[in-house]
């Protein structure tokens, strides 16, 4: 018995059109009525699913330059030259844009060879080129089109630009292919977890754009915070761990003030830039009062140059005590650079150090800090022979091949032991160029100095680095103390790192202990050293000397 397979033609058509992005249509050539799918009606602003004389209605939507080609193809079928229709042409969509479509169809004739039915598929080839292949999201041209369309229809909308913080670290740590995967995962997460009235686009590089009719900044903020929660955590893909926290800027557009696409994008970017230079991992809403970051940055750079040229005017070195964890006795200090300028007052090192690094001014300034720190250390050593002064060193300073010699001669001049100085390098820098690091570390160690890995736990693959580029001391970042009262993860992390480091002979310093309750929690953890406000804030090196060594 043959297989019975019967189905309802209408249902079949229904299922087909619902499963295709393309437009599938059928035309009854005896009545000249065409049946058209909903997406087609919508995209091309047509009136009904059933249209009489469709070829002529559609002709109106075809670009004038392409019409004769279209008519010729219809004629060829009518006069029997061919039963196939295959043509690319431009059609006007609902946004009043000419887009390329590809139309393929086939004509069926009745027993008398008269045209009976014509069915085909129209593909929006324009749309296919609007998708970003890395992320599968709509691309920046679509983003611009959509904004222009809303501007045209005078609608209210909000634009959000989102950027992955420190994305280049991901590319740097792994490779571009992995970076692309992170972009795809991030983009897909955004698209799948934001409400459907927020369309996500891939803009340039590690930037995403969102267009939405949601105008309420509280609601946008809430949505951002739900994303932030997800993206602040560490993720893993193909066995590789990474962090991709997101910074965002939002501009809520009001059609009462007419603006163009570029102006709108600039405002959203200005809000994003503000987030980026104010701690990242936040959302900022555009306001005309947002300070011009670029000019502040350029101004600060000028002022930093001026300070350096004036014999390091307005720079100072502060010292923050470090104590032994078991008896709270003074172990040494960390030298911390301070800088102020007349125009803006005291500037945080989190703002000016990156500028010094960007401009390479960190090379002379770093030498100056080292010199001051070694001098202060020499004073302290007179009262406390085992005093250890920790000095922060930027990665760029290590690239300067006179650096180790400079340390050597500075320490010799002040007649202290090399073991009185510790070089601190931030964790993320330990990965950058392992070969160079290994050889520079070797020369630093050969002199008898110790090396501390700063901000441990904040980077991408802390444990891996620990294994590859050994440090003498690991400084656990203060972020782990911040929530220690209610985070069992942070507690366990500190305990685990101490154990692990001790197993391989590395000492551990915990930063950021501010309160006695925090100290109570970490006391049993077998830490070696503690540095935090509880034992002293950073203070001018002279004041430090008086407070901690003369008493
Ligand atoms: P860092 O090396 O991690 O320095 C520790 C930072 O934590 C200091 O901030 C210090 O004031 C702060 N801190 C210490 N204990 C506590 C605490 O209990 N609670 C809180 N909330 N904070 C605490 P500071 O002085 O603002 O320095 C910021 C960063 O600037 C430093 O972080 C370091 O990365 C960089 N930096 C400072 N001086 C230099 C320098 O001379 N050279 C280089 N390359 N970088 C420097
Ligand atoms: Ca440090
Ligand atoms: Ca630190």
């Amino acid at each position: 018995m043959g297989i019975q397979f019967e189905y309802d033609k209408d249902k079949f058509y229904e299922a087909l059109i619902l499963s295709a992005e393309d437009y599938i249509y059928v035309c009854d050539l005896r009545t000249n009525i065409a049946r058209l799918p909903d997406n087609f009606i919508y995209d091309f602003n047509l009136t009904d699913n059933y249209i009489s004389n469709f070829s002529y209605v559609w002709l109106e939507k075809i670009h004038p330059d392409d019409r004769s080609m279209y008519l010729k193809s219809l004629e060829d079928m009518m006069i029997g030259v061919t039963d196939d229709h295959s043509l690319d042409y431009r059609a006007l969509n609902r946004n009043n844009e000419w887009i390329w479509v590809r139309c393929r169809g086939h004509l069926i004739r009745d027993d008398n060879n008269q045209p009976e039915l014509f069915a085909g598929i129209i593909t929006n080839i324009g749309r296919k080129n609007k998708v970003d292949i890395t992320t599968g999201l709509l691309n920046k041209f679509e983003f611009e089109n959509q904004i222009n369309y809303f501007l045209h229809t005078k609608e209210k909308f909000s634009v959000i630009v989102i950027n992955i913080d420190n994305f280049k670290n991901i590319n740097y740590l792994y490779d571009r292919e992995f970076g692309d995967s992170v972009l795809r995962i991030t983009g897909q997460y955004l698209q799948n977890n934001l409400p459907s009235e927020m369309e996500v686009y891939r803009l340039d590089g590690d930037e995403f754009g969102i267009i939405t009719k949601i105008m309420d900044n509280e609601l946008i903020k809430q949505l951002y915070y739900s994303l932030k929660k997800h993206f602040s955590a560490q993720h893993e893909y193909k066995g590789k761990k990474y962090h991709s926290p997101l910074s965002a800027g939002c501009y809520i557009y009001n059609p009462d003030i007419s603006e163009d696409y570029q102006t709108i994008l600039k405002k959203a970017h200005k809000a994003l830039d503000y987030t980026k230079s104010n701690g990242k991992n936040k959302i900022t809403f555009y306001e005309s009062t947002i300070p011009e970051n670029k000019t502040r940055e350029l101004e600060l750079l000028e002022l930093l140059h001026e300070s350096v040229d004036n014999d390091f005017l307005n720079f100072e070195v502060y010292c923050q005590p470090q104590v032994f964890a078991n008896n709270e006795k003074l172990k040494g200090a960390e030298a911390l650079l301070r800088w102020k300028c007349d125009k803006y007052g005291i500037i945080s090192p989190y703002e000016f150090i990156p500028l010094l690094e960007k401009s390479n001014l960190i090379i002379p300034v770093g030498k100056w800090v080292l010199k001051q720190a070694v001098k202060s250390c020499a004073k302290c050593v007179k009262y406390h022979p085992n005093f250890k002064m920790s000095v922060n060193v930027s990665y760029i300073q290590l690239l300067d091949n006179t650096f180790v010699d400079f340390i050597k001669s500075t320490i010799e001049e002040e007649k202290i032991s090399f073991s009185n100085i510790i070089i601190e390098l931030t964790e993320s820098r330990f990965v950058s160029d392992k070969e160079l690091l290994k050889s520079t570390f070797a020369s630093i160690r050969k002199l008898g100095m110790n090396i501390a890995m700063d901000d441990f736990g904040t980077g991408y693959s802390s444990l891996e680095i620990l294994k590859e580029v050994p440090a003498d001391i690991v400084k656990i970042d203060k972020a782990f103390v911040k929530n220690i009262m209610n985070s069992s993860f942070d507690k366990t992390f500190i305990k685990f790192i101490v154990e692990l480091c001790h197993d391989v002979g590395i000492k551990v310093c915990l930063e950021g202990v501010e309160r006695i309750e925090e100290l109570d929690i970490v006391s049993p953890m077998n830490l070696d050293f503690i540095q935090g406000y509880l034992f002293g804030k950073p203070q001018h090196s002279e004041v430090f000397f008086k407070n901690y060594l003369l008493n």
Side-chain angles (χ1 to χ4, degrees):
M1 201 174 78
I3 296 171
Q4 289 277 315
F5 185 68
E6 283 174 4
Y7 55 88
D8 182 312
K9 281 194 216 96
D10 277 337
K11 285 183 184 151
F12 171 65
Y13 179 75
E14 195 70 19
L16 260 190
I17 61 168
L18 287 176
S19 58
E21 230 191 36
D22 298 326
Y23 316 110
I24 301 170
Y25 65 95
V26 200
C27 197
D28 184 336
L29 295 172
R30 293 162 309 189
T31 56
N32 217 1
I33 294 175
R35 179 175 180 182
L36 309 157
D38 289 343
N39 56 349
F40 190 62
I41 306 297
Y42 177 81
D43 289 348
F44 294 94
N45 228 1
L46 295 162
T47 47
D48 197 1
N49 292 93
Y50 294 90
I51 296 182
S52 294
N53 273 325
F54 175 65
S55 350
Y56 292 97
V57 175
W58 185 230
L59 183 68
E60 294 287 305
K61 301 271 177 189
I62 295 178
H63 195 284
D65 293 351
D66 300 338
R67 282 180 192 166
S68 58
M69 184 172 64
Y70 170 78
L71 287 171
K72 166 94 175 39
S73 166
L74 294 189
E75 194 186 323
D76 283 352
M77 283 190 290
M78 290 306 138
I79 60 174
V81 178
T82 175
D83 286 344
D84 289 308
H85 170 73
S86 171
L87 212 60
D88 290 356
Y89 52 82
R90 285 159 289 179
L92 196 65
N93 72 3
R94 68 178 295 116
N95 299 346
N96 275 324
E97 302 155 334
W98 291 112
I99 53 142
W100 282 97
V101 297
R102 172 163 298 163
C103 187
R104 299 269 179 277
H106 190 81
L107 187 134
I108 308 274
R109 294 176 193 274
D110 63 14
D111 295 342
N112 301 323
N113 211 25
Q114 289 306 304
E116 181 181 344
L117 184 109
F118 179 74
I121 292 180
I122 297 178
T123 308
N124 186 335
I125 38 183
R127 184 200 289 143
K128 300 248 149 95
N129 293 334
K130 287 175 178 175
V131 171
D132 166 62
I133 45 169
T134 307
T135 59
L137 298 174
L138 293 170
N139 65 22
K140 60 178 177 181
F141 303 111
E142 269 295 84
F143 179 74
E144 180 170 353
N145 281 342
Q146 186 59 54
I147 290 180
N148 281 332
Y149 175 68
F150 280 160
L151 290 177
H152 174 75
T153 52
K154 298 202 174 0
E155 276 170 90
K156 288 184 177 175
F157 60 94
S158 305
V159 174
I160 304 164
V161 278
I162 290 187
N163 192 285
I164 304 181
D165 294 337
N166 307 321
F167 180 69
K168 57 178 189 310
N169 283 353
I170 296 178
N171 270 339
Y172 208 49
L173 268 175
Y174 301 117
D175 51 37
R176 283 200 81 85
E177 198 187 322
F178 188 79
D180 283 351
S181 305
V182 171
L183 287 175
R184 194 185 65 248
I185 294 165
T186 307
Q188 291 294 327
Y189 185 91
L190 293 176
Q191 185 70 85
N192 296 333
N193 288 278
L194 287 170
S196 58
E197 62 262 51
M198 292 180 116
E199 185 69 63
V200 184
Y201 300 80
R202 158 103 190 269
L203 307 183
D204 288 317
D206 56 343
E207 199 164 295
F208 298 92
I210 295 173
I211 303 173
T212 177
K213 292 282 190 64
I214 301 174
M215 306 295 287
D216 172 3
N217 46 5
E218 275 312 310
L219 184 55
I220 293 176
K221 217 185 259 175
Q222 264 175 32
L223 290 165
Y224 170 77
Y225 279 102
S226 67
L227 294 176
K228 176 179 159 137
K229 209 169 154 202
H230 172 82
F231 284 101
S232 297
Q234 190 179 53
H235 291 273
E236 191 172 325
Y237 178 66
K238 289 195 174 162
K240 293 174 179 156
K241 296 203 167 61
Y242 66 94
H243 260 106
S244 59
L246 304 179
S247 288
C250 176
Y251 178 49
I252 298 179
Y253 173 71
N254 174 359
D256 295 346
I257 45 165
S258 89
E259 285 176 324
D260 63 3
Y261 168 72
Q262 287 302 339
T263 313
I264 288 168
L265 194 62
K266 227 185 233 164
K267 288 187 169 174
H269 269 137
K270 194 171 170 185
L272 174 65
D273 287 346
Y274 186 80
T275 304
K276 286 250 160 199
S277 53
N278 286 274
K280 305 181 178 171
N281 204 8
K282 280 186 274 214
I283 184 164
T284 305
F285 289 85
Y286 174 83
E287 281 170 48
S288 56
T289 50
I290 292 181
E292 295 286 344
N293 260 306
K294 282 278 179 285
T295 52
R296 177 179 161 100
E297 184 174 321
L298 291 176
E299 232 174 338
L300 288 180
L301 264 176
E302 270 309 304
L303 294 166
L304 282 165
H305 267 284
E306 216 175 284
S307 281
V308 172
D309 292 345
N310 283 300
D311 204 18
F312 303 99
L313 182 74
N314 292 334
F315 281 109
E316 272 174 335
V317 172
Y318 273 42
C319 290
Q320 183 180 24
Q322 291 180 345
V323 301
F324 289 102
N326 58 356
N327 57 17
E328 297 175 17
K329 286 201 173 130
L330 185 71
K331 180 240 177 188
E334 176 173 5
L336 293 158
L337 184 58
R338 296 289 176 261
W339 180 68
K340 60 173 191 274
C341 60
D342 293 338
K343 179 152 186 191
Y344 298 105
I346 295 169
I347 308 291
S348 158
Y350 290 113
E351 183 170 14
F352 76 76
I353 300 274
L355 295 179
L356 292 176
E357 289 176 338
K358 239 194 242 175
S359 59
N360 276 342
L361 278 177
I362 195 72
I363 303 276
V365 175
K367 284 183 175 170
W368 182 83
V369 172
L370 191 91
K371 183 125 196 146
Q372 309 309 308
V374 170
K375 274 189 187 165
S376 299
C377 181
K379 259 176 102 174
C380 298
V381 164
K382 289 206 174 85
Y383 293 81
H384 187 320
N386 268 330
F387 188 89
K388 311 274 186 200
M389 181 70 88
S390 295
V391 185
N392 291 289
V393 166
S394 292
Y395 176 70
I396 312 164
Q397 290 176 267
L398 297 184
L399 300 178
D400 166 16
N401 49 23
T402 64
F403 181 65
V404 178
D405 285 340
F406 177 81
I407 304 180
K408 184 168 179 280
S409 58
T410 311
I411 293 177
E412 281 168 353
E413 261 168 50
E414 296 299 329
K415 301 189 176 56
I416 54 169
S417 157
F418 285 104
S419 64
N420 291 119
I421 299 292
I422 297 170
I423 299 293
E424 281 193 15
L425 226 102
T426 49
E427 183 203 292
S428 60
R429 294 311 193 186
F430 272 66
V431 266
S432 312
D433 180 346
K434 289 189 194 122
E435 286 320 302
L436 175 96
L437 269 183
K438 278 183 188 159
S439 68
T440 315
F441 276 19
S443 3
I444 291 174
R445 283 230 174 75
K446 219 166 128 197
L447 291 173
M449 279 183 278
N450 276 340
I451 291 164
M453 187 192 283
D454 208 354
D455 304 338
F456 188 82
T458 58
Y460 298 103
S461 45
S462 314
L463 293 176
E464 200 177 322
I465 304 160
L466 203 56
K467 189 178 81 183
E468 291 208 15
V469 191
D472 305 292
I473 300 164
V474 154
K475 294 186 81 177
I476 300 181
D477 193 74
K478 51 182 179 289
F480 293 94
V481 180
K482 212 172 159 205
N483 295 318
I484 199 163
M485 308 292 291
N486 26 31
S487 159
S488 63
F489 174 84
D490 291 352
K491 251 187 292 191
T492 312
F493 179 86
I494 300 174
K495 260 197 286 198
F496 168 71
I497 295 305
V498 175
E499 244 172 74
L500 188 93
C501 287
H502 284 178
D503 268 356
V504 290
I506 299 174
K507 299 239 186 301
V508 183
C509 175
L510 181 63
E511 284 190 293
V513 176
E514 294 182 2
R515 298 188 290 155
I516 195 84
E517 296 89 328
E518 292 162 354
L519 181 67
D520 287 343
I521 294 178
V522 302
S523 279
M525 292 185 184
N526 216 8
L527 287 156
D528 298 282
F529 321 116
I530 298 180
Q531 178 184 343
Y533 291 171
L534 182 65
F535 298 102
K537 288 196 172 180
Q539 43 211 283
H540 193 282
S541 51
E542 293 296 326
V543 181
F544 171 82
F545 177 71
K546 279 187 202 128
N547 286 346
Y548 290 84
L549 290 129
L550 293 186
N551 296 328

